Amino acid sequence: MNRTMARIGLLTFLASFLAGGLVFGQSRPSGDFENFGMGGGGGMFCPTISPDDPKLMFVACDMSGVYRSTDAGQTWSLLHLQQLRSALNCLPTFAGGRMYWASMAQLRVSKDGGANWSQVVEGPQPWKNSVITHLAAGDGAKAALLVGTADGVWLSADGGKQFRQVFQ
């Protein structure tokens, strides 16, 4: 009985596939989508909307790309991999006109709405090569930052110039 049901299911799937999407719908809307980046139908992570500008949006993809929209998702551009890549392990955070996002173990900052990114920490990261999984930033004058990894939590009270481990 199980083999018969499996065969019927397989035949139904094949028939609908060969019929041009009769059961599953059209395979591709005409003219609605354009492929403009790397990937092959993978996952999207960390969808983010700026709290300061609801038209500014970001999404990271499993093929390392990070995409940015300035028109509420109507159009998207792929950020250059030297700016930001592999940013799917934690959500970005916003504070005082700055946006912080982790690119694997590197903490990156943008001061222009995510168009350009730079490293917060020059030289070795205090958390070494541990992947950043959590970020928090204060909006006050001291620009406090919290960085979390599987190995602990680090705090900077000066916008990322110096960090100290506060939890292990």
Side-chain angles (χ1 to χ4, degrees):
M1 178 95 170
N2 288 338
R3 281 188 178 176
T4 303
M5 295 302 288
R7 286 181 183 154
I8 290 171
L10 179 61
L11 288 173
T12 304
F13 172 78
L14 288 174
S16 63
F17 180 77
L18 293 174
L22 183 62
V23 173
F24 297 109
Q26 296 281 336
S27 61
R28 180 175 181 225
S30 60
D32 291 343
F33 294 96
E34 178 183 346
N35 184 358
F36 61 89
M38 60 185 152
M44 293 184 282
F45 301 88
C46 302
T48 302
I49 300 172
S50 168
D52 302 320
D53 178 4
K55 292 183 178 182
L56 182 61
M57 302 173 145
F58 298 85
V59 68
C61 294
D62 64 353
M63 296 297 293
S64 296
V66 177
Y67 295 85
R68 176 179 180 255
S69 175
T70 57
D71 57 9
Q74 295 297 310
T75 60
W76 293 87
S77 59
L78 175 64
L79 296 176
H80 193 282
L81 62 89
Q82 290 180 331
Q83 293 286 321
L84 189 64
R85 70 175 181 271
S86 299
L88 51 84
N89 293 304
C90 76
L91 288 168
T93 189
F94 297 81
R98 297 173 314 276
M99 180 179 177
Y100 296 94
W101 209 347
S103 182
M104 299 300 288
Q106 288 187 357
L107 181 58
R108 311 286 285 180
V109 63
S110 175
K111 298 174 184 175
D112 61 1
N116 295 290
W117 295 84
S118 59
Q119 288 190 58
V120 172
V121 178
E122 296 297 330
Q125 309 290 318
W127 42 89
K128 300 189 176 34
N129 290 325
S130 292
V131 173
I132 298 170
T133 56
H134 294 83
L135 286 175
D139 210 4
K142 291 191 176 188
L145 290 171
L146 280 172
V147 174
T149 73
D151 298 322
V153 177
W154 285 261
L155 170 67
S156 171
D158 58 9
K161 293 179 183 141
Q162 296 179 350
F163 280 90
R164 65 182 173 89
Q165 191 169 10
V166 293
F167 181 77
Q168 187 171 3

